Amino acid sequence: MTDHNNFDVIIIGGSYAGLSAAMALGRSLRNVLIIDSGKPCNRQTPHSHNFITQDGENPKVIAEKAKTQVLSYNTVKFHNDLAVSGKKSGTGFEITTQTGSLCTAKKLVFATGVIDVMPDIEGFSACWGIGVIHCPYCHGYEVKNERTGILANGYFALHYAQLVRNLTRHLTVFTNGKADFTQEQADKFARHNIPLIEKEIASFDHENGKIRQIVFKDHSTFALQALYARPAFEQHCKIPEMLGCELTEQGLIKTDMFQKTSIANVFACGDNTSPMRSVAYAVGAGNIAGAMVNNEMTAEEF
Ligand SMILES: Cc1cc2nc3c(=O)[nH]c(=O)nc-3n(C[C@H](O)[C@H](O)[C@H](O)COP(=O)(O)OP(=O)(O)OC[C@H]3O[C@@H](n4cnc5c(N)ncnc54)[C@H](O)[C@@H]3O)c2cc1C
């Protein structure tokens, strides 16, 4: 890439949401630069499920296939780099990358996803996306009827329990410290014979990410084959906040139904805007963002 590049649109994040936005824009003859640092949130999971035509495929293979298709539109360029700052400029925006490239565009699309913050439990990170899973729709079928745990407290434990009980009856909730349930919630767990274990967790015993047992701080253990968990998350990219994009209370970028953020000419799509974390959702939101960016441009140009 040269030192200075002008584009119609810069898409930051070139995974499912970003590539989907790029396809709609490439097919609209827009000059597009995708900047991607190559760290999608699902990179450790061996198989991705629940996205039609790609069910069970390796997530990297899905993204590579998408990238090949998108880059066949010759107005779309892909740059492996990390966008580190962004600011408004006379005609639009300036984005600077870690390697020192400076690019400008009239419009921006942030498809930057989120970072799951690994809790301080030895083995959690190694099991993430393998034996420790985030979503019953993505991975629940593969561990149906298995001895399963839910690592959560309060409302989320109940929410997971009612979803996961549909897939297995061998279910235990681990609150990793004092349980925090209303009487009504506790009664529901009791009614469905779901044990609640409050013991603090020290580590996960696993083989290549496949969880074998939970090891508690009191050295007791609990054998299981799968564990649902919902770690905290943060925005993967801070540039939307630098530009003044409003976030929701949950820390997601606020958008309207057309993926427009609170800042004019800045769009966002995928995991960074929604708790509905799935490849299908990211692709759908990216598709809308791409079309809406082009829609604005055609209106401005006409
Ligand atoms: C462990 C795990 C397993 C999952 N399994 C499934 C599954 O089986 N089925 C399913 O449908 N969904 C699954 N999901 C959810 C799915 O992976 C996400 O919903 C999807 O990846 C979101 O796509 P995205 O494009 O919004 O973000 P991501 O895929 O996370 O991609 C964001 C991209 O932006 C890049 N980026 C971020 N900041 C910058 C920057 N400043 N500069 C340049 N690039 C940047 C990142 O490097 C990354 O490539 C899983 C999620 C996890 C965590």
Side-chain angles (χ1 to χ4, degrees):
M1 212 163 79
T2 56
D3 277 348
H4 199 94
N5 290 277
N6 299 306
F7 295 88
D8 292 325
V9 187
I10 297 174
I11 300 174
I12 303 177
S15 179
Y16 314 101
L19 288 168
S20 179
M23 179 167 274
L25 287 162
R27 293 181 56 74
S28 306
L29 309 177
R30 296 297 172 189
N31 285 309
V32 177
L33 175 67
I34 305 168
I35 304 174
D36 184 60
S37 56
K39 293 203 166 112
C41 63
N42 61 352
R43 60 190 179 278
Q44 193 164 277
T45 206
H47 304 284
S48 178
H49 290 278
N50 205 30
F51 178 38
I52 54 169
T53 77
Q54 305 295 325
D55 192 36
E57 187 54 276
N58 179 285
K60 196 164 189 238
V61 171
I62 302 174
E64 282 300 325
K65 190 171 178 189
K67 187 175 162 187
T68 303
Q69 291 183 349
V70 166
L71 293 185
S72 73
Y73 295 93
N74 61 14
T75 59
V76 182
K77 306 275 174 278
F78 195 100
H79 181 53
N80 294 303
D81 207 341
L82 180 75
V84 289
S85 69
K87 61 177 187 187
K88 285 184 192 166
S89 68
T91 50
F93 302 92
E94 258 178 39
I95 297 291
T96 309
T97 70
Q98 196 171 47
T99 61
S101 298
L102 174 71
C103 327
T104 60
K106 297 178 191 117
K107 306 217 183 246
L108 298 178
V109 177
F110 287 94
T112 38
V114 293
I115 292 179
D116 296 299
V117 181
M118 298 293 103
D120 188 19
I121 295 174
E122 196 192 318
F124 188 104
S125 169
C127 294
W128 182 232
I130 305 169
V132 176
I133 55 185
H134 79 301
C135 165
Y137 298 104
C138 299
H139 305 290
Y141 185 87
E142 284 61 47
V143 289
K144 62 184 180 304
N145 302 323
E146 300 277 20
R147 207 166 138 93
T148 299
I150 292 170
L151 174 58
N153 210 340
Y155 166 78
F156 286 110
L158 189 78
H159 178 63
Y160 261 135
Q162 66 193 34
L163 282 173
V164 178
R165 186 178 169 275
N166 180 47
L167 295 163
T168 180
R169 296 294 157 102
H170 308 290
L171 199 54
T172 305
V173 169
F174 302 91
T175 55
N176 192 22
K178 199 168 163 29
D180 181 18
F181 299 116
T182 62
Q183 193 54 50
E184 194 189 347
Q185 289 171 334
D187 290 347
K188 281 198 179 180
F189 288 118
R191 196 180 322 140
H192 296 293
N193 298 317
I194 299 173
L196 303 175
I197 295 185
E198 295 182 297
K199 287 192 278 188
E200 286 188 36
I201 297 171
S203 63
F204 297 156
D205 180 15
H206 68 95
E207 190 181 355
N208 299 324
K210 284 192 177 154
I211 192 162
R212 283 194 295 228
Q213 58 180 8
I214 295 177
V215 182
F216 298 100
K217 287 190 179 165
D218 65 6
H219 304 295
S220 61
T221 58
F222 189 102
L224 77 181
Q225 278 85 44
L227 182 76
Y228 288 85
R230 187 178 185 276
F233 72 88
E234 57 188 44
Q235 286 289 325
H236 199 145
C237 174
K238 302 288 186 242
I239 301 174
E241 288 163 77
M242 283 180 202
L243 293 171
C245 293
E246 237 181 282
L247 300 190
T248 65
E249 263 176 38
Q250 293 78 34
L252 297 164
I253 301 171
K254 217 182 229 182
T255 65
D256 66 8
M257 63 186 291
F258 301 121
Q259 307 302 141
K260 288 173 72 158
T261 70
S262 57
I263 299 293
N265 300 314
V266 180
F267 292 70
C269 51
D271 274 14
N272 59 4
T273 62
S274 168
M276 300 302 297
R277 294 180 69 184
S278 76
V279 173
Y281 179 83
V283 168
N287 181 262
I288 292 171
M292 289 304 135
V293 168
N294 182 60
N295 187 52
E296 272 193 4
M297 294 184 86
T298 52
E300 286 158 8
E301 291 158 358
F302 194 70

